Amino acid sequence: MVGKERMLTALQRREPDRVPVWEMAFNEESIIKLGAFFTDDLPPMKLVQKMTVEEKIKLLNTLFTVVRELELDGITSITLLGTEPLDEEHVKDGWGRILRISEEGEATAVGGPLSGPSDLRSIEPYHPQQTDFLMLLAAKGALGDDYAQVLVQPGPFRESWSLLGSMEKLLYYYVKAPGFVKDLARLVTDYILEVVDMAVDLGADIIALDGDLAFSQTTLMSPAQYEEYVFPFHCEITEHVHRRGKLIVKHSDGNMWPIMEGIVEAGFDGFHPVQPQCMDIGEVKARYGDRLCILGNIDCMHLLPFGSEEEVEEKVKETIRVAAPGGGYILSSSNSIHPGCRPENYLAMVKAARKYGNYPISVED
Amino acid sequence: MSELLERLKQAVMAGEEEEAASLVREALEGGLEPREIMDKALMPAMEEIGERFSRNEAFIPELIVAASAMEKGMEELKPVLSGEDKGRGLVILGTVYGDIHSIGKNLVRMCLEGAGFEVLDIGEDVRTERFVEAYREHRPDILGLSALLSSTMQRMPEVIQAVRAEDPSAVIMVGGAPVTQEFADRIGASGYAPNAFEAAVKAKELVAGKSR
């Protein structure tokens, strides 16, 4: 089996030849540190927004080298909306969102083109352009058809709040202006469907719908609010992806238990990353393993940054024992390989997956 | 009057901002002391919504609108609150350098304000020197540090050290998803809480302990 087949088989809850290994995201620093194990031709250590075009290409090539050398089964691309720099720490994207860039993670919207219900009509929707998918095109070109091409796209909740520049603002309107919340979700869902179409046309196999819906304690909204403001749009997006013959995964950190039933009902093929501090992967497997592929769960909060390689191996072994039998499990960290993760621990994670992840799974208690 | 205060409490809990402001005005016109309005309606409302939140019976949207209604009520009260009445004390809050996450800190702010604290929020991605400057300038009763990432959490001991160099008795609370009681103890924090509501409870304990 090649990686793509392995990923698609697992997502359809069948057993591939071995547990697929994939990662939703690597930061610049992690790519460069991992790349150093395999090549000397590395870009300088800085944020992608501050790199020259040549440096960005080198960063992508380093990522492709890591994927190839570690024989990962898929590669994740993000849309790169053209941005214009505002100052050292902020850029503005095609929607007019102001994003704060950070060494520790992805850029986050801190200001939006929308202030509230009064100016929704005046917003000019952004339409995706092929140049937004340069990373996907480059990944497809470099790695060919043997690797699953995953495109990460923020879901309707995240796209909505980022247009307001603040999650709290959107959650305030959940109570105060339900009509506005739905109109806004409609606007961004139309955009997401356009992104899906273009991504599929350009070679994406899997869509990962990003945007946390929960935090460590519980979901960001009540189950009733999820059902009213998010669920219908999730259904629409999964149906659209399936109509195009592709698969879709929902990503959310945090304790998603209150709305897990909705995530399954909405038609997602997989759920990532089952944050181990908040959700027990065995319980997720027992309750939803027959309807949902599970992705992730290898702790990147404490284990990958501070644990030993032996501890990582032990955790991978245990997770495979619990989640992999019968298929429907893709191994990855519990969020991303961020700069705090020890590169040696990531390598140990991949190695352990190969050691214990061969089907039929025979890991002892 | 107790019926009016009960209506005010309900209005805050329901996030009815205009209603809350108008009931505060009515209570003041009826001769109630500002302190009594705070203690018997506004703070109990936030305490109850906070408790429901910590039991997962209320969610962030309900907490946000209640905090907004409380704020509107407070706007009516502030001009008539006596100068000495500083509430429970001043808390300075910020997310440590490298970390741009805000929602956890903002929830803590809402719960602290609901508990009667004055809160100065110095934002996200705050450099250690900025915490020290803010501490020196305002001498808060409590300094609160937030981090969402296990990598940025490592900044917390540095901030604690720098602030304690300024004031060895500084009361410093830490919190955020990766933070644990064990980590808080190890880095010498004065307090930790696993969620926003309990952070307000802990803050009350810490200032009570300080004044003893």
Side-chain angles (χ1 to χ4, degrees):
Chain A
M1 267 188 180
V2 296
K4 177 171 160 178
E5 209 180 340
R6 214 170 267 138
M7 288 276 286
L8 296 178
T9 304
L11 272 174
Q12 292 167 84
R13 302 179 311 283
R14 298 196 312 267
E15 289 191 354
D17 56 346
R18 66 178 196 219
V19 171
V21 181
W22 161 82
E23 204 54 50
M24 181 148 140
F26 296 91
N27 288 100
E28 295 88 333
E29 190 178 330
S30 319
I31 296 171
I32 297 168
K33 283 183 176 168
L34 284 168
F37 285 89
F38 309 110
T39 174
D40 297 326
D41 192 18
L42 298 165
M45 194 69 87
K46 53 180 159 177
L47 294 176
V48 69
Q49 289 91 345
K50 295 185 178 171
M51 287 183 180
T52 63
V53 175
E54 288 77 10
E55 289 166 345
K56 284 179 187 169
I57 292 172
K58 199 169 269 190
L59 182 71
L60 278 182
N61 283 331
T62 309
L63 173 63
F64 302 151
T65 301
V66 170
V67 169
R68 225 182 270 123
E69 292 289 335
L70 292 176
E71 296 177 43
L72 303 185
D73 295 291
I75 176 150
T76 314
S77 298
I78 50 172
T79 52
L80 300 162
L81 271 55
T83 54
E84 55 172 295
L86 293 174
D87 57 40
E88 274 292 289
E89 289 167 341
H90 298 88
V91 296
K92 191 173 177 179
D93 76 4
W95 278 98
R97 289 180 287 220
I98 297 168
L99 308 170
R100 185 154 174 183
I101 55 179
S102 155
E103 287 163 28
E104 302 289 347
E106 61 197 325
T108 300
V110 293
L114 262 185
S115 64
S118 60
D119 52 4
L120 181 63
R121 280 175 188 283
S122 66
I123 195 166
E124 189 65 45
Y126 176 79
H127 299 286
Q129 300 166 20
Q130 287 215 356
T131 47
D132 300 344
F133 298 86
L134 281 178
M135 187 171 175
L136 172 64
L137 289 167
K140 194 86 185 170
L143 298 170
D145 223 21
D146 289 351
Y147 298 80
Q149 296 288 343
V150 184
L151 184 94
V152 172
Q153 164 60 40
F157 178 71
R158 184 171 176 142
E159 288 288 20
S160 290
W161 73 250
S162 69
L163 287 177
L164 286 161
S166 138
M167 189 194 290
E168 285 101 311
K169 257 190 182 175
L170 180 66
L171 292 174
Y172 173 86
Y173 291 125
Y174 265 40
V175 180
K176 293 289 178 176
F180 164 69
V181 171
K182 289 178 191 171
D183 290 346
L184 182 54
R186 176 74 268 146
L187 176 85
V188 299
T189 300
D190 287 340
Y191 166 72
I192 294 167
L193 298 178
E194 288 177 34
V195 169
V196 166
D197 277 332
M198 200 170 271
V200 171
D201 290 344
L202 297 174
D205 304 301
I206 298 161
I207 304 293
L209 206 64
D210 189 14
D212 293 339
L213 300 177
F215 63 119
S216 49
Q217 183 186 328
T218 183
T219 42
L220 295 163
M221 69 287 288
S222 70
Q225 287 161 340
Y226 169 75
E227 200 170 319
E228 186 172 2
Y229 298 129
V230 189
F231 176 76
F233 301 96
H234 275 173
C235 291
E236 210 179 308
I237 294 164
T238 63
E239 275 169 28
H240 192 81
V241 171
H242 290 150
R243 214 177 300 128
R244 297 291 318 259
K246 305 298 171 190
L247 300 173
I248 181 164
V249 168
K250 177 65 193 133
H251 161 88
S252 175
D253 292 345
N255 175 6
M256 286 282 282
W257 279 121
I259 61 171
M260 272 311 283
E261 197 61 41
I263 294 296
V264 178
E265 288 285 315
F268 288 101
D269 301 291
F271 172 61
H272 172 269
V274 193
Q275 193 185 334
Q277 288 80 14
C278 319
M279 298 178 86
D280 176 71
I281 194 167
E283 200 181 342
V284 177
K285 181 80 175 175
R287 283 170 66 175
Y288 297 113
D290 57 337
R291 295 154 77 194
L292 207 55
C293 171
I294 300 166
L295 302 90
N297 196 241
I298 306 299
D299 175 30
C300 67
M301 197 176 258
H302 300 287
L303 180 66
L304 292 175
F306 311 116
S308 67
E309 289 161 57
E310 293 72 31
E311 286 166 329
V312 171
E313 177 175 342
E314 202 44 45
K315 183 47 82 177
V316 168
K317 181 179 164 189
E318 165 65 15
T319 307
I320 286 178
R321 186 183 66 76
V322 172
Y329 176 60
I330 295 173
L331 191 126
S332 85
S333 74
S334 65
N335 178 290
S336 58
I337 303 304
H338 56 81
C341 296
R342 286 180 62 221
E344 293 80 6
N345 280 351
Y346 181 68
L347 299 181
M349 178 183 119
V350 177
K351 200 170 148 197
R354 298 290 148 68
K355 185 170 169 188
Y356 300 106
N358 295 303
Y359 283 97
I361 301 295
S362 59
V363 180
E364 286 164 22
D365 270 331
Chain B
M1 267 302 157
S2 68
E3 186 257 348
L4 177 67
L5 289 173
E6 182 55 30
R7 271 166 58 210
L8 174 57
K9 182 181 161 193
Q10 294 304 327
V12 170
M13 283 174 56
E16 289 162 3
E17 295 140 331
E18 297 315 316
E19 178 75 358
S22 129
L23 288 170
V24 168
R25 283 194 298 272
E26 205 178 307
L28 287 171
E29 281 156 17
L32 281 180
E33 286 297 320
R35 191 74 243 172
E36 194 177 357
I37 299 172
M38 271 183 77
D39 289 349
K40 293 191 174 160
L42 299 181
M43 280 160 45
M46 285 307 290
E47 191 166 332
E48 190 165 332
I49 202 87
E51 271 174 23
R52 284 190 196 173
F53 176 69
S54 68
R55 291 196 302 263
N56 295 339
E57 292 165 11
F59 288 78
I60 296 176
E62 287 78 32
L63 194 62
I64 290 174
V65 293
S68 176
M70 158 126 186
E71 198 182 324
K72 287 287 185 296
M74 283 303 293
E75 279 171 19
E76 300 293 328
L77 277 186
K78 269 188 186 147
V80 288
L81 271 174
S82 68
E84 315 76 271
D85 198 342
K86 295 271 186 231
R88 274 190 206 275
L90 174 67
V91 182
I92 292 183
L93 277 185
T95 304
V96 295
Y97 179 58
D99 202 320
I100 58 176
H101 297 88
S102 61
I103 193 151
K105 166 181 64 63
N106 296 349
L107 293 175
V108 171
R109 186 190 67 221
M110 289 172 208
C111 289
L112 285 170
E113 286 174 345
F117 286 93
E118 189 187 336
V119 180
L120 176 63
D121 183 346
I122 57 172
E124 300 83 44
D125 198 11
V126 178
R127 287 180 189 272
T128 299
E129 312 85 77
R130 173 80 190 98
F131 278 112
V132 176
E133 278 164 27
Y135 190 91
R136 190 181 298 143
E137 187 181 343
H138 301 281
R139 290 278 155 174
D141 297 279
I142 297 175
L143 174 66
L145 309 178
S146 167
L148 183 84
L149 307 172
S150 53
S151 48
T152 54
M153 172 177 94
Q154 308 305 321
R155 297 268 178 196
M156 286 177 164
E158 175 189 310
V159 180
I160 292 178
Q161 250 182 2
V163 171
R164 291 256 169 83
E166 181 72 26
D167 173 9
S169 65
V171 177
I172 304 173
M173 285 182 69
V174 294
V179 181
T180 59
Q181 181 68 56
E182 190 261 319
F183 176 78
D185 293 341
R186 181 149 45 89
I187 64 171
S190 325
Y192 158 81
N195 64 47
F197 175 71
E198 286 178 41
V201 174
K202 187 79 203 173
K204 284 193 265 183
E205 276 174 34
L206 286 171
V207 290
K210 208 177 177 185
S211 61
R212 268 204 298 272

